[in-house]
Amino acid sequence: MRIDYLEDVPEFIPLLAREMAGHWRNIIPGESYERRYEKLIAHKNRDQLPLAWVAHENGVPLGTSALRVCDLEGREDLFPWLAGIFVMPACRGRGIAAKLCEVAEGKAWEWGIERLYLHTPDQQGLYRKLGWRSLELEDWNGVKTEVMIKDREASTTKVCRADSVSLKEPYGY
C-alpha cells in the first residue's frame, strides 16, 4: 500500500467521489457525486489547506484523509481539522484509516500545528485508539456527532519530513 497526495493521483477522484457521496448521502443534505468531486478537486494541494491523501494499491484507491480549515459548520472557531477519513467498504479492517490519519497528523505536526480537531458520529472507538479524546457533542445535519481533539505533545505520530510524501519518496505501508 502507498499513500500519496491526492494531487499526485487525481485519476482516483471520480471513484472516490462516487463512493464517498454514496456513503455520506444520508447525512449530508445535498450530497452528490458532483459536490463530492468538486470538494476533492479543491483538496489537490500540498502546502496549503485543504489537502488530501489517498491510500492505494495496484492502481486501486483504498481510502482517503484530509486536513481542512474547518469541517463542522458553526465551529469555525476550531482550527484545523482532520477530515474526510474514508476507506472503501471492501478494504475496511486493514488499518488503512489509522495509516491515513497518521500521515495527515504528521503533516500538521510538521507545520507546527499544536492541536487538531475532528468530528465523527460513529467512529469514536477508532479515534480513541489513535489517541484522540472527546471534546463535546454537536449537531451535524440532525445527527449527533462527537467533536474530538488531539494535541501534538500527546501524539505518538511521527513528524513527517517534507520530502517523505513526494513522488520520489511516497509513504509505503
Side-chain angles (χ1 to χ4, degrees):
M1 177 176 75
R2 288 174 46 134
I3 297 177
D4 290 307
Y5 284 106
L6 175 62
E7 177 181 74
D8 295 333
V9 288
E11 65 272 18
F12 295 141
I13 292 174
L15 178 57
L16 288 169
R18 186 182 76 229
E19 294 293 322
M20 293 170 81
H23 179 77
W24 283 309
R25 187 168 283 127
N26 294 331
I27 298 174
I28 302 173
E31 182 65 5
S32 66
Y33 169 84
E34 294 79 13
R35 181 181 179 280
R36 186 57 49 180
Y37 183 90
E38 290 303 317
K39 194 165 193 169
L40 286 167
I41 292 292
H43 284 71
K44 287 176 43 180
N45 297 307
R46 286 179 177 268
D47 298 317
Q48 66 181 15
L49 300 179
L51 74 154
W53 293 266
V54 178
H56 57 99
E57 193 171 65
N58 301 319
V60 177
L62 308 175
T64 186
S65 65
L67 289 175
R68 297 183 185 144
V69 171
C70 185
D71 194 47
L72 186 61
E73 189 175 324
R75 293 314 316 259
E76 292 80 5
D77 58 313
L78 305 178
F79 165 85
W81 293 72
L82 173 67
I85 306 300
F86 176 79
V87 175
M88 296 290 194
C91 303
R92 294 178 183 160
R94 293 177 41 190
I96 296 167
K99 293 296 184 186
L100 285 162
C101 289
E102 181 181 326
V103 170
E105 290 170 24
K107 184 65 168 182
W109 308 151
E110 173 193 328
W111 281 349
I113 293 168
E114 295 296 324
R115 176 173 286 165
L116 281 172
Y117 300 90
L118 66 76
H119 77 94
T120 180
D122 60 357
Q123 295 297 316
Q124 296 87 340
L126 166 68
Y127 295 114
R128 282 191 185 95
K129 287 179 191 173
L130 299 176
W132 291 79
R133 67 184 196 282
S134 180
L135 180 65
E136 62 195 26
L137 287 176
E138 290 280 345
D139 179 79
W140 181 46
N141 303 312
V143 175
K144 288 292 178 199
T145 191
E146 189 165 342
V147 176
M148 301 183 84
I149 187 170
K150 189 171 190 179
D151 293 316
R152 179 181 183 174
E153 65 186 37
S155 178
T156 59
T157 299
K158 304 169 280 197
V159 173
C160 59
R161 296 184 328 270
D163 65 345
S164 66
V165 287
S166 70
L167 278 174
K168 295 179 183 175
E169 298 292 332
Y171 283 99
Y173 292 102

